[in-house]
Amino acid sequence: MMLKNLTQLQKLVLSYVNISSVVPMSLTNMSLTYLDLISTGLYGKLPDNIFHFPNLQVLFLGYNYDLTGNLPKVNWSSSSSLQQLFLGFSSFSGELADSIGYLKSLNFLHLANCKFSGSIPDSFGNLTQITAIFLGGNSFNSQIPFTLSNLNQLIHLDLRGCKFSGSIPESLGNLTQINYISFWGNSFNGQIPFTLSNLNQLIHLDLSGNNLHGKIPNFIGKLIKLEFLGLGDNNFNGPFPCGVANLTKLVALDLSSSELMGPIPSNISGLHNLQELYLHNNSLNGTLPSSLLNLPSLTDLYLGSNRLTGQIPEFQHKSKLMHIDLNHNELRGPIPQSISNLVNLTQLDLSSNNFCGVVEYLSMMRVEEYHS
Ligand SMILES: *[C@@H]1O[C@H](CO)[C@@H](O)[C@H](O)[C@H]1NC(C)=O
Ligand SMILES: *[C@@H]1O[C@H](CO)[C@@H](O)[C@H](O)[C@H]1NC(C)=O
Ligand SMILES: *[C@@H]1O[C@H](CO)[C@@H](O)[C@H](O)[C@H]1NC(C)=O
Ligand SMILES: *[C@@H]1O[C@H](CO)[C@@H](O)[C@H](O)[C@H]1NC(C)=O
Ligand SMILES: *[C@@H]1O[C@H](CO)[C@@H](O)[C@H](O)[C@H]1NC(C)=O
Ligand SMILES: *[C@@H]1O[C@H](CO)[C@@H](O)[C@H](O)[C@H]1NC(C)=O
Ligand SMILES: *[C@@H]1O[C@H](CO)[C@@H](O)[C@H](O)[C@H]1NC(C)=O
Ligand SMILES: *[C@@H]1O[C@H](CO)[C@@H](O)[C@H](O)[C@H]1NC(C)=O
């Protein structure tokens, strides 16, 4: 293809141009510094030597779903220059070899939703310039290396759905610049390490869908920049972590599907930005705090399958609630008439409780789903 003849070419950007061709057997343009072929329909096996262009700084080949290839096992000749590597949403496979540690200028690595496997080499900790790592949707049946803690420029770490196991390394607490962590959908076990309390720049922390256990630590209340906290679908027990009341920037909180027990503290009323609250499938008991139903930004409230008792408190006029799920609790009494204030309510599930006198208010509403 064209690359062959344009030997002086340094920067080539063809992203979203439909080339739909098989990649050439060899690429000889050694002066390239910037190659962007995102979503060009390239397919077939990428020749290894592209990683060895000695001046390459940016290599973007992602969103070519049928493009295959492996990362070199030897020192990449681009290792001093390469700064950004994006292969996400392609069919690259194989292991991340030790040699990845030579990429000492790399600051952006996106290999998500490829077919990589094996383990993450310890040499990963040599990528000390890196600020963003996306490895989600690969199959690393291994632990994450403790050397990750050397990456002190790291801002964004996305390891969702990678089949990682073992405990969350304490050394993660050294990544004090980090503001995004997603470990969603792995097999991490053990407790949330104490050292995470150091990560006070975190905006997004998602540890949902693992096998974590123990109490949800109260130090979570120190992570006051958090806007998203996902701890659902684990084996946590003990009380609702009252430190959460400190997290006034929270927009979404998911503590569902664990074994939390005791009351929902009423001082989560301070979470005035909270839009989505998922606490279903625990053993929370006590009454429903009025302050909870009347959180000013709340649109989604999922409290099903707990042991909540008492009546539903009155709803305020300005409520934004759209989805309410209180099924499988021990709530009783009349449904408050103020439920008709919920002008935007589209889903209401009150099934498997002990309510009486429900239907007259509901007939006035545009409720799509309703069980009792
Ligand atoms: C790896 O390759 C780069 C670029 O060719 C070179 O500068 C560097 O010294 C090599 N590193 C090692 C440890 O061989
Ligand atoms: C990574 O760093 C360690 C310690 O400095 C060094 O021994 C090792 O050779 C490096 N490995 C790679 C692949 O860069
Ligand atoms: C990282 O954290 C561990 C455990 O928390 C600590 O022992 C170690 O000294 C820290 N390493 C660095 C490089 O700060
Ligand atoms: C709440 O946040 C403050 C900082 O604003 C912190 O000093 C305090 O320890 C936090 N409380 C809890 C319970 O985490
Ligand atoms: C919320 O209430 C709990 C006990 O009910 C208390 O321990 C905690 O410090 C309170 N948190 C805030 C931020 O007021
Ligand atoms: C409820 O939570 C338990 C763990 O506490 C989990 O095993 C189960 O699958 C969850 N059920 C649903 C319907 O989410
Ligand atoms: C809630 O559950 C806890 C632990 O099982 C129990 O000690 C407490 O008495 C219960 N509270 C209410 C109000 O039922
Ligand atoms: C209801 O939804 C509409 C459209 O999404 C929105 O503009 C309006 O502010 C909502 N009302 C309340 C009370 O949240």
Side-chain angles (χ1 to χ4, degrees), residues 112-336:
N113 296 76
C114 293
K115 296 175 176 168
F116 290 104
S117 57
S119 57
I120 309 274
D122 285 350
S123 68
F124 219 73
N126 296 17
L127 303 177
T128 50
Q129 296 304 306
I130 207 152
T131 59
I133 297 175
F134 298 79
L135 296 179
N138 289 289
S139 228
F140 302 109
N141 283 298
S142 61
Q143 308 204 356
I144 55 178
F146 71 95
T147 55
L148 217 57
S149 64
N150 296 340
L151 309 182
N152 57 19
Q153 307 290 314
L154 197 60
I155 304 278
H156 190 109
L157 178 60
D158 187 342
L159 303 181
R160 72 183 74 184
C162 283
K163 304 197 171 136
F164 283 114
S165 57
S167 52
I168 296 177
E170 280 186 11
S171 59
L172 209 65
N174 298 0
L175 304 178
T176 51
Q177 305 294 311
I178 203 161
N179 61 45
Y180 184 107
I181 293 179
S182 180
F183 288 173
W184 172 85
N186 283 285
S187 299
F188 287 112
N189 54 37
Q191 306 204 9
I192 299 182
F194 173 73
T195 52
L196 254 54
S197 61
N198 298 335
L199 305 185
N200 57 16
Q201 299 302 307
L202 272 178
I203 293 171
H204 183 110
L205 176 62
D206 194 352
L207 306 178
S208 318
N210 283 287
N211 301 321
L212 299 170
H213 66 84
K215 291 197 168 116
I216 297 177
N218 261 326
F219 67 66
I220 215 93
K222 288 187 172 175
L223 310 181
I224 53 172
K225 293 196 175 170
L226 278 180
E227 294 174 14
F228 180 95
L229 177 59
L231 301 176
D233 208 358
N234 276 292
N235 302 318
F236 292 118
N237 57 25
F240 185 102
C242 51
V244 164
N246 225 12
L247 305 178
T248 53
K249 298 213 161 121
L250 273 186
V251 174
L253 173 63
D254 181 359
L255 305 180
S256 65
S257 291
S258 274
E259 289 155 29
L260 301 180
M261 52 193 179
I264 303 172
S266 59
N267 60 5
I268 69 171
S269 58
L271 305 184
H272 49 265
N273 292 307
L274 194 67
Q275 295 174 15
E276 298 172 29
L277 180 59
Y278 304 96
L279 301 178
H280 53 278
N281 194 19
N282 279 292
S283 298
L284 298 167
N285 66 5
T287 55
L288 255 180
S290 162
S291 55
L292 172 62
L293 288 190
N294 292 305
L295 285 169
S297 305
L298 198 65
T299 59
D300 291 73
L301 177 63
Y302 288 85
L303 297 175
S305 299
N306 279 292
R307 296 186 190 151
L308 300 170
T309 51
Q311 298 192 10
I312 302 184
E314 297 290 337
F315 294 94
Q316 279 171 8
H317 266 286
K318 284 177 291 190
S319 173
K320 295 191 166 141
L321 280 164
M322 296 167 65
H323 303 138
I324 301 179
D325 184 353
L326 300 175
N327 75 42
H328 289 89
N329 278 288
E330 294 155 28
L331 298 165
R332 62 175 59 254
I335 313 281

Side-chain angles (χ1 to χ4, degrees), residues 43-57:
Y43 58 93
K45 185 163 178 357
L46 190 83
D48 210 39
N49 70 343
I50 207 161
F51 297 108
H52 293 299
F53 292 176
N55 304 312
L56 196 60
Q57 292 169 12

Side-chain angles (χ1 to χ4, degrees), residues 342-364:
L342 306 181
V343 291
N344 282 356
L345 192 66
T346 58
Q347 279 185 37
L348 177 64
D349 187 347
L350 304 177
S351 58
S352 299
N353 280 286
N354 304 312
F355 294 119
C356 55
V358 178
V359 188
E360 56 260 49
Y361 315 123
L362 294 170
S363 57
M364 302 152 59

